[in-house]
Amino acid sequence: MPASCTIAGTISHVIFQNEENGYTVLRLVTSDGEAVTVVGTIPCAAPGEDLVVTGRWVSHPVHGEQVEARQVERHMPTTENEILCYLASGIIKGVGPATADRMVQRFGESTLRVLEEEPELLTKIKGITPRRAKEIGESYRYQTGMRRLLEFLSLNDLPLSLALRLYRRYGGEALEAVRENPYLLVDELYGVDFAVMDEIALSMGMAGDSRRRIEASVLFELTYNLGNGHVFLPRDKLIAAASQLIDCPPETVEVSLDDLIGRGAVRCQRVARVEACYLRRLYEAETGVTEKLGRMLACQADRPDYVRVDAILEQIEAGQGITYAPEQRRAVELAARQGVVLLTGGPGTGKTTSVRGIVAMLDRIGCKILLMAPTGRAAKRLGELCAREAQTIHRALGMTWREETGEVTFQKNEKDPLEAEAVIVDEMSMVDLPLLHALLSAVKDDCRLVMVGDPDQLPSVGPGNVFGDLIRSGRVETVRLTEIFRQAQASAIIRSAHAVNQGQLPPLRNSAGSDFFFMRRRDPLAAVELVVELCRTRLPQNMGVDGRDIQVLCPTRRGEWGTRALNRALQEALNPPAPDKRQKAWGELVFRVGDRVMQIRNNYDVLWVRSDGVTGAGIFNGDVGVVEDIDPAGELMTVRFDDRTATYVSDMLGELELAYAVTVHKSQGSEYRAVVLVALPAAPALMVRGVLYTGITRARELLVVVGDDAALGRMAENDRQQRRYSGLRWRLCQRAEIE
């Protein structure tokens, strides 16, 4: 375990500084003349500053011992030489070495006070105009404001990386905003745990029955439960949860909730006999989706019938050399005649053939078509299957990130809709309510919309269960493909998936030439050893599967056989350390050139460049890539995500994890040539049919299940689904009754 330490000294020079996130590498000279390398989030650091750094010693393969900062106490320079060194560094906009020298000669040790309190005095120096003096003063106040904010964060053991995000939103008032309402750091943009921030707020003198505290607890419960898939919470459950969170009487919480409702921050409406409480943006998303679908369905009623659909279908069949099954034929016909169509079906039921037919039909009747999917991998697969470009929904909508508000916005919307007459979206089970709302806002009322997916897969990570709600509402024409075609019937993977979907344990007898194998292991360590052996030797040598085409899946992250343990074992076996192979330690993880990694949260600031030279920013939760390079200094790491290469600075590595093994939930929307699925007894919430079914259906050519047959049986039998509070189905049905 690295040794902790506290080191005081003066910055001699800054080696590296990332302006986007404040990550810095600097040299600190202690009072006894020792030069120490310090790394960490220290925005606006400049030579001449005095620092007290608390952190830990780490060993860098090139630069040796250095201190990884966790807390930083900053002190501005006081002597004339220190002030001159600080200002001459260029840290203050408009001040270079020559100007810095003239300032210090004129004002001496009072120079920094003048910059902060009386910048107009700078006009007494030759060459400084009133305008320039004002700009210099503003730049210095920014630096001092940032320093004080960092001191506050450090004192309260909060991530220093919050400083830049706060400054982008609140500017020079950032520290005052946090002091006035510490709970604003619980917002999704900052992500501080409520319990942590509550303790800090109370220590700052916040009263236990403060209105800000109670309102923050209500908003936190609504926000937190978005992660559990809930679009709203029933009023009584919300009040009870917030009351328990802050140990406050329910009656007091109810008063604050009513205040939030009165101000519009929370929307409350009776939904299916429940007093539903929504965050405003989720309420607007749910009602917006309902209204837009209503208009699109009304447009389709006025759409002229295409009398030549049958003839066109015959031409398509002849051209493709196939004969559509009745339900496939119906899907193609509805896509031509209707405005909104849902296409569902399990593996082997011909969804791909149906989508190709829909694309061909829409082409024939002259529609401009856009193909979309929620993830990059799903979009790539859709494009390959249809032999045309497909995009992620975010890219198609022109997603942008507003740093000052921490909000995702889309360039395409009601005012600037997509130039498309038909939109086809695959993997709809992954689409959450806010994303569907953004998509529908960007399509014209008369645009055809075909949504394709498998409702038996796990629901979206984000709030809502929109695909299931749309199907169950009965408001949208739905085609369910149920026939398993002869070619698909030959696949044990597909037969197993359908068996599981019917609550049955698939046959676990192995046979030569099969694409499905079961290998019983009930001891976790023995299971991990077998998984490593399969990935390292047995599948590549005996089955001819390249190791890069094998993906290990697991229901859980934790425990002796979870993804964390599997990744440690697989990394050691598949990508061991070597003298010529660069690596970077981050906490308990070590990233090494050649490692498979996954982004675990949305980051809109990560810069990337595509193979065609196009640049952009943003890597998203679930994106999988390979570490291509780590610079000799160990401060930058490049990761290739399909056709994009992204650059990470060290302070961003907490957003990556090894991905030799990933959870079944994280694998949604992806398909792999070969899958090794580990299944042993786990938490009850994970021992369900949806997890097993989704894991099986990720395999395209080969599936090996390692685990406990009894556990598999329990998963297949357990069709329990966590209830998600959503009003979309109810709203669609209510609108139908009104119409």
Side-chain angles (χ1 to χ4, degrees), residues 129 340 429 436 464 598:
T129 63
V340 188
S429 63
L436 180 62
M598 173 182 284

Side-chain angles (χ1 to χ4, degrees), residues 627-688:
V627 178
E628 279 199 329
D629 190 27
I630 299 172
D631 79 301
E635 310 309 334
L636 299 175
M637 187 168 86
T638 56
V639 181
R640 178 172 47 80
F641 297 91
D642 293 325
D643 64 339
R644 297 171 299 162
T645 300
T647 301
Y648 288 77
V649 298
S650 291
D651 209 39
M652 298 159 61
L653 298 185
E655 299 179 355
L656 292 172
E657 63 182 24
L658 296 174
Y660 298 98
V662 302
T663 63
V664 174
H665 285 80
K666 289 287 190 181
S667 73
Q668 287 180 266
S670 295
E671 188 178 78
Y672 313 97
R673 183 184 173 191
V675 167
V676 177
L677 176 62
V678 189
L680 283 89
L686 299 173
M687 302 298 290
V688 295

Side-chain angles (χ1 to χ4, degrees), residues 219 409 515 533 629:
L219 295 174
T409 60
D515 58 1
E533 185 183 349
D629 190 27

Side-chain angles (χ1 to χ4, degrees), residues 544-656:
V545 181
D546 191 301
R548 293 170 295 184
D549 294 330
I550 304 169
Q551 181 62 61
V552 178
L553 302 181
C554 181
T556 183
R557 290 169 53 87
R558 300 180 176 86
E560 295 177 300
W561 60 280
T563 58
R564 291 175 179 170
L566 285 163
N567 273 316
R568 286 194 296 269
L570 288 164
Q571 183 192 42
E572 187 64 27
L574 304 178
N575 192 30
D580 60 343
K581 190 180 292 182
R582 292 174 184 160
Q583 62 182 43
K584 171 70 177 178
W586 180 258
E588 297 180 354
L589 291 176
V590 173
F591 296 106
R592 197 169 292 139
V593 172
D595 276 337
R596 188 185 302 173
V597 295
M598 173 182 284
Q599 179 78 16
I600 59 174
R601 63 177 63 91
N602 292 339
N603 187 325
Y604 304 94
D605 297 325
V606 182
L607 302 176
W608 52 257
V609 58
R610 277 211 315 259
S611 53
D612 58 5
V614 174
T615 60
I619 300 294
F620 305 109
N621 186 8
D623 286 350
V624 175
V626 176
V627 178
E628 279 199 329
D629 190 27
I630 299 172
D631 79 301
E635 310 309 334
L636 299 175
M637 187 168 86
T638 56
V639 181
R640 178 172 47 80
F641 297 91
D642 293 325
D643 64 339
R644 297 171 299 162
T645 300
T647 301
Y648 288 77
V649 298
S650 291
D651 209 39
M652 298 159 61
L653 298 185
E655 299 179 355
L656 292 172

